[in-house]
Amino acid sequence: MKSSVMNLAMPICLVVIGATIGSVGIYIGDTDDAPGAALLGILLMIGTVAFAVRTAWRRSHRDRKP
């Protein structure tokens, strides 16, 4: 069984990586006047947060025993 710290480390890393890549996409979209790149950056950030929440939810419920 993994510790609760490891159960939280993966989702936090996913959020940080997704937010970084998403913010770079938004910056490039704003700088280059490409609204599609900014939209992709926003969608990537939303998707990464949703994936991280799902991962944290599954990991927290997987460790519980009935």
Side-chain angles (χ1 to χ4, degrees):
M1 179 187 331
K2 293 184 179 181
S3 68
S4 61
V5 173
M6 283 301 294
N7 285 340
L8 290 176
M10 180 68 142
I12 291 173
C13 288
L14 287 174
V15 168
V16 169
I17 290 170
T20 303
I21 294 172
S23 62
V24 169
I26 293 170
Y27 176 74
I28 290 172
D30 188 40
T31 303
D32 195 27
D33 197 26
L39 179 64
L40 284 175
I42 292 169
L43 291 176
L44 179 65
M45 288 171 60
I46 292 170
T48 305
V49 169
F51 183 69
V53 167
R54 188 185 84 178
T55 302
W57 180 266
R58 286 185 177 182
R59 286 179 180 238
S60 69
H61 287 302
R62 181 184 63 191
D63 292 338
R64 293 182 185 172
K65 293 185 180 182

